[in-house]
Amino acid sequence: GATASGGASATRGASGADRNRRRAEATYQGRQDEVLQDILRDPFARRVFEDIYSQIRRDGGGLAARPPKKRKLSLEWGGKALTLDLTHGIGGAVKGWLRRQIDDEQTVYLPALSIVPGARLRLQVTQGLSGEVRTVEVTLPPDYVVGRPIRLKGLGKRIGPWQGDLYLRILAKTA
């Protein structure tokens, strides 16, 4: 009989502990609510919370994506060196390396007065590995800054089925 009564008192003790825990949680929750109400009475703090809340709603409530950890592979053979960015896997590294091989960069010098945002320019560029001179018409974007490269899709080097992009840098002629 002693075992049965010992079990019953343990059960009563557990329910009493549960009641005390629930009471403590309710008191703690009440204190949190009071602190929050006190903070929100302050106009500056209220504005900060409103700004945070509106930004969370605008961003869809998700957490900001953390950038992937950078991973690189560097190979040296004699005087040659090759560095691959493995951040996005081996496929991404090969694709990035290939992209750097077929993209092209050129610089064109024009009179300073013609390099203004929104201007429409007719330029001569050399295309890819062939060296063929080609005339292209470019409209400078509204936020254009002199010296910032403009990407001309598909005007870079062609290697097999892949076509690179031309990054055109327009600078002012000096007299």
Side-chain angles (χ1 to χ4, degrees), residues 55-127:
Q55 185 172 359
I56 289 171
R57 289 197 60 197
R58 184 176 55 244
D59 295 344
L63 297 174
R66 185 178 302 160
K69 185 177 179 183
K70 292 281 185 188
R71 298 176 194 275
K72 290 192 177 211
L73 172 66
S74 297
L75 303 171
E76 293 183 26
W77 189 289
K80 302 275 185 187
L82 173 68
T83 301
L84 294 175
D85 181 2
L86 298 175
T87 304
H88 301 289
I90 192 75
V94 170
K95 185 177 177 182
W97 177 82
L98 182 61
R99 173 74 43 209
R100 286 189 303 278
Q101 301 309 307
I102 62 176
D103 284 345
D104 199 4
E105 295 179 9
Q106 291 181 35
T107 303
V108 176
Y109 294 90
L110 297 174
L113 294 176
S114 64
I115 310 173
V116 294
R120 187 176 212 107
L121 305 173
R122 185 174 289 245
L123 307 169
Q124 299 238 334
V125 296
T126 55
Q127 182 153 12

